Amino acid sequence: MDDDLVGTQTPRRRAADPHEALVLLERSIPGLAALRRPTRAVIDWTGLEDGLGTGLPADYKHLAEWYPAFVVGDFLLVRLPEPSDEGSWLRATRDTLNVLVDAWLEPGLGLSARPAPGGLLPWGESCDGDHFMWTTTGRSTQEWTVTVASRGGAWWHYGGGAVQFIAEYCNGAVEPWGLPQIDLQVPPC
């Protein structure tokens, strides 16, 4: 893992409150609010989490309840479950986990995929083949951090949640380490 790990970036302050993280995201991406649902969606979190064998972070759940899946700058796809179609999200997540195990996670790298304890769990991807995942360690899902697997083979970590990562990647607070600067256009997905 040491050969492939670029490093870890830590936010100045972790946005622990889901509402705070969503406000940060909406401020960081002009036009995102136009995709916001008029009312909070009802998503079968119990079924999804039972299917995954783990809970999910509150900031991600809050984002999914207010937004459909979206793409930032024709680059970063933020995968979110849809009400009444949660099974599609679960299947896509499992498929991505299989790809990670088969093609990305080399023995000795020091990273594993869920359901291994502390294993990686995908929440997004890029059009260039980069993967954005949670590292599922900590006493609760609120302590999970982000791991980025770039198409070039380098890995790096971000010491905050997924929604804060997206916001800080978009507003330039995160050094993109192998990722392009992002265009802040958000076309409907």
Side-chain angles (χ1 to χ4, degrees):
M1 177 173 157
D2 293 335
D3 293 341
D4 297 304
L5 180 64
V6 175
T8 300
Q9 296 184 53
T10 305
R12 287 185 337 157
R13 187 180 72 76
R14 185 170 179 144
D17 177 69
H19 177 73
E20 175 191 3
L22 186 57
V23 167
L24 178 64
L25 181 64
E26 290 173 337
R27 286 183 185 152
S28 298
I29 305 175
L32 179 64
L35 298 178
R36 189 179 178 114
R37 301 177 201 275
T39 59
R40 189 178 203 151
V42 177
I43 296 174
D44 179 10
W45 293 115
T46 301
L48 282 176
E49 293 172 335
D50 286 349
L52 288 173
T54 185
L56 292 168
D59 64 331
Y60 180 80
K61 290 164 61 168
H62 189 68
L63 176 65
E65 290 167 351
W66 286 107
Y67 283 93
F70 59 92
V71 176
V72 182
D74 288 330
F75 176 72
L76 173 58
L77 169 62
V78 180
R79 297 183 323 106
L80 299 166
E82 285 295 314
S84 302
D85 193 23
E86 293 90 349
S88 293
W89 180 90
L90 188 56
R91 282 187 298 281
T93 300
R94 288 180 179 150
D95 289 347
T96 303
L97 282 169
N98 289 334
V99 168
L100 286 170
V101 169
D102 292 342
W104 283 74
L105 297 178
E106 301 170 18
L109 187 62
L111 298 171
S112 57
R114 286 284 311 165
L120 300 173
L121 183 63
W123 56 261
E125 57 199 50
S126 80
C127 64
D128 290 338
D130 305 286
H131 292 279
F132 303 90
M133 301 160 285
W134 290 289
T135 298
T136 61
T137 56
R139 292 182 306 264
S140 78
T141 60
Q142 304 322 106
E143 295 178 5
W144 289 3
T145 58
V146 170
T147 295
V148 177
S150 74
R151 63 194 171 279
W155 294 77
W156 55 281
H157 304 294
Y158 172 78
V163 177
Q164 185 175 5
F165 169 81
I166 300 164
E168 292 194 346
Y169 174 40
C170 290
N171 72 22
V174 167
E175 177 66 37
W177 288 348
L179 302 175
Q181 292 293 326
I182 198 155
D183 174 9
L184 296 180
Q185 297 299 313
V186 184
C189 197

